[in-house]
Every structure is written in structure tokens, then in C-alpha cells.
Amino acid sequence: MLRHIIKLIWNNKKNNFLLFVEMFVSFIILCAVSSFMYFNLQKISQPLGFETTDRLSILLDDLYSKDSLLVADMMTQLDIQLKQEPEIEEVSYTNGPFPFSGNQWTTSTENNGIPNHTLTCETTEDYHSTMDISLKEGRWFRKPLTNEDKDEVVVNQAFIDKNLGGKYTLDSFINIGEEKKLVGIVETYKYNGEFVPNDPTVISYIPKTDRNIMNVVLKMKPGTSIAFQEKLIKIITDVTKSTSFVINNLDDERKKSSHDTWVILSVLLACSVFLFINVAMGLFGVLWYNINKRRSEISLRKAMGATNINIITQFLTEIGGLALLAVIFGLIFAIQVPLFKIIDVDSQIMYTGIGFSVIFVLGLVLVCAFYPAWKGAQIHPATGLKEE
Amino acid sequence: MITLQNINKLYRTDTIETTALNNINLQVDEGEFLSIMGPSGCGKSTLLNIIGLLDEPSNGKIEIKGQTVSNYHTKETAKFRNEHLGFIFQSFHLIPELSVMDNVQLPLLYRNLSQKERNQMASVALESVGLNNRMEHFPSQLSGGQKQRVAIARAIVGKPSIILADEPTGNLDSVMGNEIMNILLQLNQENKTTIIMVTHDENMAHKTHRLMRLYDGRQL
Ligand SMILES: Nc1ncnc2c1ncn2[C@@H]1O[C@H](COP(=O)(O)OP(=O)(O)O)[C@@H](O)[C@H]1O
Ligand SMILES: [Mg+2]
């Protein structure tokens, strides 16, 4: 029977070619779209690693141009003033790569000739408590007591996995350009937002009096009104004698940081749903037409002893076989991308996307074919043989 | 072999009701060659379809080979058709995408047979209609007479005991028509196959054992 069906597909290649192309193209598009979606879904499925609710951030972007003694004095003042406010529960400071800044500072080290890229951030010693960062293992770094003290660092799990090959001991020294003492591990710290990949990251200490401080983060009492920001502005203006600072609500920043990706994903999803509804209707229409054109063949087969099940099986095998061929042909192209690392995306993600596409396309084709095939099998043999 | 009792067939549409067959009683013996004649629209094809279990009578009883086939379910009729009945149609009904060989094997696909057995049986059938040199041709490459010979090979490949032929020579010129008629006569004589044939040709009808005339759904 299989040979019989293969002959039918082959000898009808002119009619089947368009269907084949349609299924091939749909498969390729689906591979790309589903891999891209999965890539992004995997990213947002990993938590940010810190809290944004009731957190304010103050951007101070001109400290580095000021005299360092002046800055030290100013920051000490600011810290005292802020901590006096009952609405402010906690205060801490970071350098350039602060939450949702879009900034990325990287260092590269070589490990047996393989470059390791690492994101670096610097924060004060109380940052984890201000931001509710929970540690998987170990503890947050402390303020060094003497100048000779080696800096302590906290790294994320991605750093452990990718840059240390999964091997580590807490309180041992690691080399990231300089020797640092590894004291704690967080699962994720995606400070630039949900859709940013969880790349290897190292967080180390910076004093709050440093000229490289760019950001103040505040943990507010829940329910603090927006009116407090006026007071805040006054405090900062008084202490810094400048108005070049920006206050942001981290919840808003968080939403803003993923907004564009959500738009892209939604548009893409809508387009693919639309595309596949079209493909499904097209397939359904073509199959409906094909099977109707073959009414006399169906009647003939029934006259020769075919049961309804025989007829349905035949049509599903024909169209399923054609779909399988289109998918195999598509796989030859699709598989190259992860196999030869044509795009810099985790190949696991693409294999998952491709696997999903195989199942989806074959499933869609069979679902679309079932009704026409079933309807075709209901054709009364006497009527189908009369037509012509 | 075949017994029809009080067969009626009504076609109902929204507007009209047609009586295609009116109280037909018929007995066909084993090995008999029966021809059916009558003007167009008198119910010949309907009668043949009912005997071939392709259509159900509105009422009446059909017995073939001692079995009351009018009570069969669709699955049983499919099996019965496959094993006991062979069909030949005026317009051949060959599948254009399949070679002569594959067309002839069609009834065998619905039996549990190996490819080898099917090839062998099809070759024998094609040989008996003189077409063993055209096995790999496609229907479009054959003349009308050759197409009908392929259809006969397909009808006999499963060794049915009954062949139902609806105007098998209707689309052929007289030379080709006679060729087909001779094959049918030979089948009937040599294999003792029971044949019921609808025809418009008096000469052909007279070569068969018995002639039944229909007029407006009634036996004359
Ligand atoms: N499916 C059908 N629906 C309605 N009327 C039909 C149908 N098939 C046949 N008829 C009618 O039944 C009568 C007999 O048709 P048929 O058996 O095909 O005649 P013929 O003797 O020419 O083979 C005709 O009047 C025809 O119009
Ligand atoms: Mg007729």
C-alpha cells in the first residue's frame, strides 16, 4: 500500500509541487519564529534577580568630572540626609551599569586561549539588601577593612557555568583581570531587564564616596506617595548644588526595558498566527478540492473493495507523506544553522524550535487533511461513478 | 446465484420523486450471461449498481451466493465486493496517475497479499486480455479498446464469480466493441464467470444466454 501511495504522490508531482513548496516555506518560517520566541521566552522565564517595587533610582551622571575630595564630602552628606528620611528604608550606590541603565561594562579574560566575557558591576556593600537580592550560596561581599584586602565578589550562576566550567570553591580566588575572592553566588542578576540574556556577571565593591558612583538606589516604605519625590529633589539639589540628576521608579523602568521586545514578540506572534491560519485554510481548501476532484477514484476504490477507513488512511498517508518530505527537505536547511553555529544563539534553543516546527507542521497538515479525507470517504460509490 | 425479490428504488429530491426501479424480480444462475437492454434512463445502471452493492434498494431483498447481502453493513459489503464482484464501466474509470500494472492491481490492494503475489496475479490477468506488453504504460497512452481491456483485467484479477458490466462497449467503435465482447464471452465459457451486462447493441445482447428488457423501471 505504501508503494502504491508513493507512486500516486510521485506521478502527481505537478499538482503536489505547490503543496510541497507551501509546506516547506511554512516549516522554515516556523523554525525561525519558534526559535526566536523560545529564545525570548527562555530569557523572561529567568527572574531578574532583584526587586523593583517601591524602589527609586537616582541617576547622578556628573560626579566623575568633579574633584574627588568634593565628591567624597558630598556623597557622605547625601547619604546622611537620605537616611534621615523616614520614607526611605535603605540606601545604596552603584557605578555605571546600574539597573535598566542599558550600560554594559565587560572585561575579557583568556582561559586556555578561549576568551571569557564577563559583565562587571560595582555596588556598595548593602546593595543586596536594598534590592532584595537573594543569594544561592555564600554571602554578599563586605566592605574591605584595609587597602590591602583583596576585593570580595559575588558572581551569577552563568559565570560559574560558562567561565569556570562549573567548578568553584567559595572563598577561593578567581581571576577576572585581577584576583578576586569569590564569596557568593546569585542565580541571576539581569540588571538591564527581562529580555537581556543572563550573561556571566561579577559584582564587586565600590565605596559610596567614589567618583565613579552614578546611581543611588532607594528602598522606599511601601505606599510612599509620589509627592515625596519633590522633597527628594530638594535634598539632592541642596547637597549636590546641581539639577542634573534624574529620579526613576524602577517598576516603570522595568516595564520600559521590555516594552519593545514585547511589541516585537506580539507582532510576530500575530503575524505567525495569521500566516498559519492562512496556510491551514489554504491547505484545507486545496485538499478539499483535490479530494473532490477524485470522487470517481474514491467510488472506484470502494467498488473494488476499499472500506471508508482504507480511503481515509490513503489520503492521510498521501498528504502526510508529502508533508514529511517537505519537512525533511526543510530540515536539511534548518539544521545547518545550529550545526554550524551560523547564528550566535544557543543551539539547544534552535533544536527545540526545529523540533517543535516538525511536530506542528505535520500535525497541522494531518488535522487539515482529516476532514476532507473523512468527507471523501463518505462519498456514495454509485454517485461518484456516475459523474464524469 | 443471484436472486432479486421485489426490488424498488426511489430517488427523492426536494422537488421530485423518481421511481428508478419498480418491483424487479430476477434470478440469475451460476455461469449465466445475462444482458439487460432498455432506453436511456429506464434504470439499467441503477439495477446493476444494486446487484453490485454500490447502491441500496429502497425495499426488496437481494441474495447472492446464498447470502442475504441486502442486510450487510458497509464494511461487509466492501469485503463482499472485493472477493466476489468485478466491475466494468462504460467510461473505463482507470486512475490516470497509475500504470496499467498498478491499475489492474487495485482490487488486490484491499486484500492481504504480497507485492509479488499481486504482480503475478496482475500479469496473468493482463495476459488473458492480451495486454502483457503494455504493463508499464499509462492510461493516456492507450486506445479506448485497450483501456477497456485493462478494466476487464482489473475486474477479473481477483477471480470474482460475478462480473457486472455497464455498457462496456458504449464508448468503443464496433471493431473494438466486438473484441471486448469476445473477451467477455470467453470469460463466461472458460471460467464459468456469471456476467450481467447492460448494452445498447442488439447483436451483442443476442450472443448472451438471456436478455432482460427494462422500460421505465419495469421488467417487460
Ligand atoms: N442519484 C440519483 N438521484 C436522482 N435520480 C436518479 C439518480 N440516479 C439515477 N436517477 C434517475 O433514475 C432513473 C434511472 O437511471 P439509470 O439507472 O442511470 O438509467 P440508465 O438506464 O440510463 O442507466 C433516471 O430517471 C435517472 O434520472
Ligand atoms: Mg446507465
Side-chain angles (χ1 to χ4, degrees):
Chain A
M1 198 56 167
L2 200 61
R3 263 174 72 141
H4 179 78
I5 287 169
I6 291 169
K7 277 183 200 167
L8 276 176
I9 297 176
W10 180 247
N11 291 335
N12 207 3
K13 47 190 171 298
K14 246 195 242 152
N15 284 330
N16 284 332
F17 182 71
L18 266 178
L19 261 178
F20 176 87
V21 170
E22 188 183 12
M23 295 191 279
F24 168 77
V25 171
S26 310
F27 174 72
I28 294 289
I29 292 176
L30 189 61
C31 281
V33 170
S34 59
S35 298
F36 182 74
M37 294 263 182
Y38 183 54
F39 176 59
N40 280 294
L41 289 180
Q42 211 195 32
K43 282 189 298 190
I44 55 161
S45 72
Q46 293 171 323
L48 282 180
F50 59 90
E51 276 303 319
T52 56
T53 316
D54 297 317
R55 285 353 183 247
L56 294 183
S57 104
I58 307 159
L59 166 64
L60 308 165
D61 64 357
D62 58 353
L63 296 186
Y64 61 92
S65 62
K66 292 182 173 156
D67 175 69
S68 57
L69 285 175
L70 189 79
V71 168
D73 189 43
M74 201 171 84
M75 293 308 282
T76 314
Q77 270 303 311
L78 185 64
D79 193 53
I80 292 168
Q81 296 253 352
L82 290 174
K83 281 176 179 162
Q84 270 172 6
E85 295 302 319
E87 285 90 346
I88 299 176
E89 289 188 344
E90 287 182 52
V91 185
S92 56
Y93 305 83
T94 77
N95 70 341
F98 54 89
F100 311 110
S101 58
N103 295 340
Q104 285 199 343
W105 291 7
T106 56
T107 66
S108 293
T109 49
E110 264 193 16
N111 186 3
N112 299 325
I114 302 159
N116 281 331
H117 299 285
T118 306
L119 295 173
T120 64
C121 319
E122 294 175 351
T123 74
T124 47
E125 71 281 5
D126 42 12
Y127 183 69
H128 67 297
S129 127
T130 314
M131 298 300 275
D132 263 353
I133 297 173
S134 60
L135 283 119
K136 237 183 121 174
E137 263 182 78
R139 57 171 174 82
W140 197 256
F141 50 77
R142 293 181 192 129
K143 188 174 173 173
L145 294 174
T146 69
N147 276 345
E148 288 84 57
D149 276 357
K150 280 254 156 73
D151 272 352
E152 296 179 340
V153 294
V154 168
V155 302
N156 65 350
Q157 185 62 42
F159 182 89
I160 301 279
D161 295 340
K162 291 186 186 154
N163 293 11
L164 300 182
K167 290 193 284 284
Y168 68 99
T169 336
L170 282 184
D171 297 326
S172 67
F173 289 95
I174 55 172
N175 185 0
I176 29 166
E178 298 168 69
E179 291 262 288
K180 305 265 181 182
K181 189 177 177 189
L182 171 63
V183 294
I185 301 166
V186 293
E187 185 61 51
T188 54
Y189 177 61
K190 301 198 294 179
Y191 65 89
N192 269 332
E194 259 121 358
F195 286 111
V196 174
N198 181 30
D199 287 330
T201 307
V202 171
I203 312 165
S204 56
Y205 173 73
I206 186 172
K208 60 172 163 278
T209 52
D210 198 294
R211 280 202 311 171
N212 285 317
I213 292 288
M214 276 185 82
N215 193 48
V216 188
V217 283
L218 306 177
K219 180 178 178 189
M220 308 301 298
K221 265 224 173 75
T224 304
S225 77
I226 241 178
F228 175 75
Q229 293 200 9
E230 268 177 50
K231 197 172 177 191
L232 194 58
I233 291 169
K234 191 169 178 305
I235 295 170
I236 305 163
T237 320
D238 286 353
V239 175
T240 62
K241 313 268 182 298
S242 147
T243 51
S244 71
F245 58 88
V246 186
I247 301 174
N248 281 315
N249 180 314
L250 282 194
D251 259 349
D252 297 344
E253 291 293 287
R254 174 188 196 150
K255 280 181 201 126
K256 245 192 277 169
S257 73
S258 6
H259 177 264
D260 289 356
T261 314
W262 277 122
V263 170
I264 294 172
L265 285 181
S266 315
V267 168
L268 204 58
L269 185 69
C271 287
S272 340
V273 167
F274 182 74
L275 174 76
F276 276 89
I277 288 176
N278 266 292
V279 167
M281 289 197 322
L283 264 175
F284 185 84
V286 169
L287 297 177
W288 183 259
Y289 174 78
N290 281 353
I291 288 174
N292 259 301
K293 240 181 27 184
R294 291 167 68 177
R295 288 170 70 86
S296 73
E297 178 191 330
I298 294 169
S299 301
L300 177 78
R301 286 178 186 273
K302 285 186 152 189
M304 305 284 126
T307 60
N308 290 7
I309 303 281
N310 287 146
I311 302 288
I312 293 173
T313 313
Q314 180 199 330
F315 282 118
L316 290 187
T317 316
E318 266 185 47
I319 193 68
L322 193 65
L324 194 65
L325 226 61
V327 163
I328 289 171
F329 192 65
L331 271 177
I332 296 172
F333 292 88
I335 214 86
Q336 315 260 336
V337 179
L339 207 58
F340 299 107
K341 304 238 178 291
I342 294 171
I343 307 176
D344 184 26
V345 171
D346 191 2
S347 32
Q348 203 54 49
I349 288 174
M350 276 185 282
Y351 286 127
T352 310
I354 290 170
F356 168 79
S357 307
V358 169
I359 294 168
F360 188 88
V361 168
L362 293 182
L364 182 79
V365 167
L366 289 184
V367 166
C368 289
F370 186 80
Y371 185 70
W374 178 79
K375 205 70 184 149
Q378 308 301 314
I379 290 173
H380 200 280
T383 54
L385 286 168
K386 239 173 250 168
E387 297 159 4
E388 196 146 301
Chain B
M1 186 73 170
I2 302 170
T3 312
L4 304 190
Q5 281 173 20
N6 308 322
I7 295 293
N8 286 293
K9 179 72 183 176
L10 293 174
Y11 285 114
R12 274 195 202 90
T13 60
D14 297 341
T15 45
I16 45 161
E17 197 179 87
T18 321
T19 308
L21 292 175
N22 196 341
N23 201 29
I24 304 289
N25 288 286
L26 177 66
Q27 167 97 34
V28 184
D29 294 329
E30 189 165 355
E32 195 175 355
F33 195 154
L34 173 76
S35 50
I36 302 173
M37 289 193 77
S40 173
C42 70
K44 307 179 295 293
S45 296
T46 306
L47 179 61
L48 214 60
N49 285 341
I50 284 175
I51 298 171
L53 312 184
L54 297 176
D55 210 347
E56 302 87 33
S58 304
N59 46 56
K61 189 177 157 193
I62 310 166
E63 254 184 52
I64 304 178
K65 306 187 86 170
Q67 302 181 43
T68 312
V69 290
S70 38
N71 297 338
Y72 273 10
H73 293 293
T74 41
K75 224 180 135 178
E76 294 167 309
T77 53
K79 189 165 153 44
F80 190 89
R81 283 197 294 261
N82 183 260
E83 287 172 1
H84 303 292
L85 304 174
F87 294 89
I88 302 168
F89 309 95
Q90 179 177 0
S91 50
F92 323 129
H93 282 299
L94 300 178
I95 298 177
E97 286 87 19
L98 293 178
S99 68
V100 164
M101 188 65 172
D102 291 323
N103 265 291
V104 172
Q105 288 185 22
L106 205 59
L108 306 181
L109 285 179
Y110 305 108
R111 291 185 190 181
N112 257 335
L113 292 172
S114 70
Q115 176 76 42
K116 208 176 143 197
E117 289 171 302
R118 285 188 306 219
N119 282 341
Q120 209 172 345
M121 289 168 81
S123 301
V124 171
L126 277 168
E127 199 155 345
S128 68
V129 296
L131 272 183
N132 38 348
N133 55 344
R134 293 281 191 281
M135 291 200 269
E136 294 315 316
H137 284 57
F138 281 84
S140 58
Q141 300 167 313
L142 301 178
S143 72
Q146 286 171 327
K147 282 183 194 166
Q148 198 59 301
R149 272 147 67 190
V150 174
I152 294 174
R154 182 181 61 193
I156 62 174
V157 72
K159 304 199 172 25
S161 43
I162 300 163
I163 284 185
L164 304 169
D166 194 350
E167 300 188 41
T169 60
N171 278 1
L172 305 176
D173 63 30
S174 59
V175 179
M176 285 184 181
N178 280 324
E179 229 173 64
I180 297 301
M181 188 62 201
N182 289 336
I183 295 175
L184 292 178
L185 284 168
Q186 196 182 341
L187 259 175
N188 175 250
Q189 280 152 19
E190 289 176 10
N191 303 359
K192 299 285 168 264
T193 308
T194 309
I195 301 180
I196 303 178
M197 176 182 77
V198 170
T199 182
H200 276 303
D201 190 321
E202 292 276 353
N203 290 331
M204 291 194 183
H206 287 303
K207 290 182 188 165
T208 66
H209 300 148
R210 182 153 64 111
L211 171 61
M212 172 188 183
R213 286 189 193 271
L214 276 182
Y215 188 80
D216 211 7
R218 290 166 203 274
Q219 284 166 279
L220 291 183

